[in-house]
Amino acid sequence: MSRTPPPLPTRPYSNAHLPAPERFGHWAELLDHTHAPMDLRSDHADDFLVRQRAIVLGESMVWPAAFPPVTFLRTDRLIRQSDPESYHLTLTLRGGGVADWRHRTLRAGPGTLHTNDSSRPVEIRTATEPGRRILMIGVEVPKTSLPLPRRIADRAIGLPIPDDHGTGALLAHFLRQLVRTHTEYRLTDGPRLGAVLTDLTAAALAHALEENRALPAHTRRNTTVLRIRAFIQQHLDDPALSPPLIAAAHHISTSYLHRLFRQEGVTVAALIRRQRLERARAELADPHRAGRPVHAIAARWCMTATDFSRSFRAAYGMPPGEYRRLQQRPTPPPDRS
């Protein structure tokens, strides 16, 4: 019998079980291993509740966290004491802060990716509304893993990277989706996800400096594929979505588009059809849309009723109507005898 592969490694953390006076110091010690040794200060140190999860992607790490406002100090002394030689990115979901380096100051909050370098002294002061916690997703990427010359990556530290367009949007979307769906991935997915993370991080840093040509060819190619996949997901309800339209939107030829996806092992048309079927399947399983006819769901995702029924049966082994009945059937109460 085949065994289910082990899940993607994650390390959840909460200090709620500790006495209030011990919580701040306990998290500070954890942060030494998650990021790098830091001196921490906070007006909330007497009762500092933290929730965090480390998601391990090979040599890289993604760590969503929620914590009260705090000041982080990375000093020359701490750098001499220990330096993991990594680049750090923060996607802020709630709250904000000011980062001060010796040569640059950055004000960042939701809408901007904040970058940092473990080898560089910095003071980061975070803040949020009274009674609320900072929400963020941190990223740690070893400098040796980044497919970008270090002299270029170093120049990008402290530059704002918007998370709502361009490569920054791709990176932000990847991080949010990873955090939301990390339980669906297996241990064997780690290297692939880690490669996506380092490619997107390198591309975001290069884009901030307009140094895209410094990226290796495979990183530019992988980033282009990710950008196209995101474009397809955003336009699945557009009947005009087609290879020529996608190629024109990305300033490439249709033949190059097909060549890119041959290397991915899927055709563009098949990818569009698969994604549309997934969206339709999610609607069929949604109890709030139980009154919407199957043919209306098919039309919403640009399929005729006949084509939808045939494609759905081929993909999921049953007609869409039967799938809906199975998904929305009431769950019997547990047997407590």
Side-chain angles (χ1 to χ4, degrees), residues 80-317:
R80 289 193 299 269
Q81 173 185 321
S82 175
D83 184 6
E85 296 207 357
S86 62
Y87 293 116
H88 170 83
L89 285 87
T90 298
L91 175 64
T92 304
L93 306 177
R94 184 170 70 207
V98 178
D100 282 329
W101 295 269
R102 288 170 180 165
H103 69 297
R104 182 175 287 162
T105 298
L106 172 68
R107 295 182 180 275
T112 303
L113 281 155
H114 152 229
T115 59
N116 201 6
D117 176 353
S118 68
S119 307
R120 196 174 302 189
V122 66
E123 178 178 333
I124 303 170
R125 303 180 296 277
T126 64
T128 189
E129 298 171 3
R132 308 201 79 183
R133 292 190 290 175
I134 305 291
L135 292 182
M136 51 82 72
I137 302 174
V139 176
E140 309 295 335
V141 175
K143 294 180 179 181
T144 55
S145 298
L146 200 72
L148 185 68
R150 192 172 297 188
R151 58 181 175 78
I152 293 176
D154 286 349
R155 286 168 44 215
I157 299 305
L159 293 178
I161 300 176
D163 67 11
D164 60 352
H165 65 273
T167 311
L170 287 177
L171 177 56
H173 174 75
F174 171 80
L175 294 174
R176 289 189 182 99
Q177 186 174 41
L178 175 69
V179 169
R180 187 172 60 250
T181 63
H182 67 90
T183 56
E184 299 175 12
Y185 296 109
R186 304 288 97 190
L187 175 64
T188 51
D189 293 319
R192 175 180 61 83
L193 294 170
V196 172
L197 177 63
T198 55
D199 278 342
L200 286 176
T201 299
L205 295 177
H207 184 72
L209 294 166
E210 299 184 355
E211 290 275 10
N212 293 324
R213 282 183 290 185
L215 295 166
H218 72 85
T219 298
R220 292 199 302 271
R221 176 200 168 279
N222 293 343
T223 305
T224 299
V225 169
L226 290 169
R227 187 179 292 114
I228 291 170
R229 285 179 175 272
F231 180 88
I232 289 172
Q233 288 190 0
Q234 293 164 6
H235 295 82
L236 286 172
D237 58 352
D238 182 356
L241 185 66
S242 64
L245 184 145
I246 295 167
H250 292 85
H251 310 290
I252 59 177
S253 68
T254 304
S255 60
Y256 180 62
L257 173 69
H258 288 308
R259 192 158 64 249
L260 280 175
F261 279 83
R262 271 199 300 273
Q263 295 176 44
E264 294 289 297
V266 64
T267 66
V268 179
L271 179 62
I272 294 171
R273 183 168 56 252
R274 182 193 307 163
Q275 295 287 345
R276 283 173 169 166
L277 283 172
E278 276 296 304
R279 296 289 183 90
R281 185 172 71 91
E283 283 201 32
L284 290 170
D286 186 352
H288 297 100
R289 307 197 181 203
R292 175 171 290 183
V294 170
H295 68 81
I297 292 176
R300 168 169 165 71
W301 299 110
C302 310
M303 293 176 280
T304 66
T306 301
D307 181 53
F308 176 54
S309 181
R310 181 173 58 250
S311 299
F312 194 95
R313 184 192 290 269
Y316 305 111

Side-chain angles (χ1 to χ4, degrees), residues 20-77:
E22 298 179 16
R23 291 170 180 166
F24 187 64
H26 194 269
W27 184 60
E29 184 177 342
L30 173 76
L31 204 63
D32 288 354
H33 305 287
T34 305
H35 175 55
M38 310 275 281
D39 284 337
L40 305 185
R41 302 170 186 169
S42 176
D43 294 337
H44 308 273
D46 56 342
D47 188 3
F48 199 86
L49 279 171
V50 178
R51 177 171 45 83
Q52 180 176 307
R53 180 180 298 274
I55 305 171
V56 181
L57 306 178
E59 295 182 327
S60 301
M61 180 188 299
V62 173
W63 52 285
F67 50 86
V70 63
T71 295
F72 303 90
L73 287 167
R74 178 84 171 139
T75 64
D76 289 312
R77 176 184 61 82

